[in-house]
Amino acid sequence: MQYVILVALLGWTAHACRCIRHDPRTYRGFARPLGLLIAGAMFLQEGVLLLSGMLTWATGLPLHLCSLMGVLTLPMLLTRQRTLCSAALFLGVPGAALALLFPAVLSTPWPLLTAAAFHTLHAGLVCAPLLPIAVGWRPIPADTLRAGSVLVAAGLLALLVNPLCGGNYFFLARPVAGTPLSWLGQWGLLPYRLLLGTLCVVVLAAEASIVALACKGERPARTLPRDQTNDPSSE
């Protein structure tokens, strides 16, 4: 199911990007529904948990990477604030891609609905940063530091919240069985957290290198263009 949803959303996003490049004023007409779809998929999961009696402080807070991105993506698409765009691209895309490859869908009385909402959320997160890029945002290597600061802040909050509610936010309390994280956890909790943090640093460094190669010889703008879109703040 996840690959059908991903291909469908990628096709829609490719069409949206072509339209936006042709006429930047169409940006918000595509950004708003995609952001609402992502937010709606996340809150649908919350509703399913509530109706099934599984919504608790340990399961319902937006303190997993993808649920955090689910909350931030609509503001990111509407404001194109640089830190939010950076987090969506450098954290949301790899995190959502891994979730699609190794889905950890909660068992509920409505498995098809739960899975559809889960996969729609994560497929949307893969697509969302492409719209700001289409309208003119150009990531630079330093943007990985902005994304890293968001990750560190959210991770520290998860470390504080997990013992209070018995949760496993950001998978910092224990690795998830059946995923590559279980391999990292075979040496104990502290080595697992250190390895997980090291892996995040490696991924961000690799992303910074890719961006540096991509923009070599190009001078990307540090501010996002607004004057050519139908953004009310530019009027």
Side-chain angles (χ1 to χ4, degrees):
M1 176 191 290
Q2 63 263 45
Y3 302 115
V4 174
I5 295 174
L6 178 61
V7 169
L9 276 178
L10 282 173
W12 181 89
T13 304
H15 168 71
C17 289
R18 285 194 297 269
C19 293
I20 291 168
R21 290 193 183 100
H22 178 70
D23 183 0
R25 292 173 296 179
T26 64
Y27 171 80
R28 290 177 71 88
F30 288 106
R32 188 180 291 110
L34 180 58
L36 290 173
L37 176 69
I38 292 169
M42 195 194 74
F43 286 111
L44 178 57
Q45 291 184 88
E46 297 284 305
V48 169
L49 291 178
L50 177 63
L51 292 175
S52 59
M54 299 171 61
L55 185 64
T56 67
W57 291 109
T59 61
L61 297 178
L63 280 178
H64 284 300
L65 177 60
C66 291
S67 59
L68 177 63
M69 290 296 104
V71 171
L72 296 179
T73 295
L74 181 58
M76 179 276 291
L77 288 170
L78 295 181
T79 67
R80 287 170 286 145
Q81 200 275 336
R82 192 163 200 102
T83 297
L84 294 181
C85 289
S86 302
L89 178 62
F90 296 117
L91 301 179
V93 170
L98 283 174
L100 291 170
L101 288 172
F102 304 99
V105 184
L106 290 173
S107 297
T108 73
W110 305 279
L112 186 61
L113 181 62
T114 306
F118 179 92
H119 297 314
T120 299
L121 167 65
H122 292 89
L125 293 179
V126 171
C127 299
L130 299 177
L131 297 189
I133 291 173
V135 83
W137 175 56
R138 291 297 178 266
I140 58 175
D143 288 333
T144 58
L145 297 178
R146 292 183 171 89
S149 67
V150 173
L151 182 63
V152 169
L156 290 174
L157 182 58
L159 283 173
L160 176 65
V161 169
N162 281 337
L164 298 177
C165 67
N168 188 26
Y169 293 113
F170 270 78
F171 306 122
L172 290 173
R174 57 191 176 277
V176 180
T179 71
L181 295 181
S182 60
W183 182 84
L184 296 178
Q186 61 184 312
W187 295 286
L189 182 58
L190 180 58
Y192 163 70
R193 289 174 173 172
L194 292 174
L195 287 170
L196 190 59
T198 301
L199 180 61
C200 291
V201 170
V202 170
V203 170
L204 287 169
E207 290 175 324
S209 300
I210 292 171
V211 171
L213 290 174
C215 65
K216 189 175 182 180
E218 177 185 352
R219 187 169 182 174
R222 289 178 175 266
T223 57
L224 305 184
R226 296 179 182 271
D227 56 327
Q228 292 183 315
T229 69
N230 56 353
D231 190 335
S233 64
S234 65
E235 296 176 355

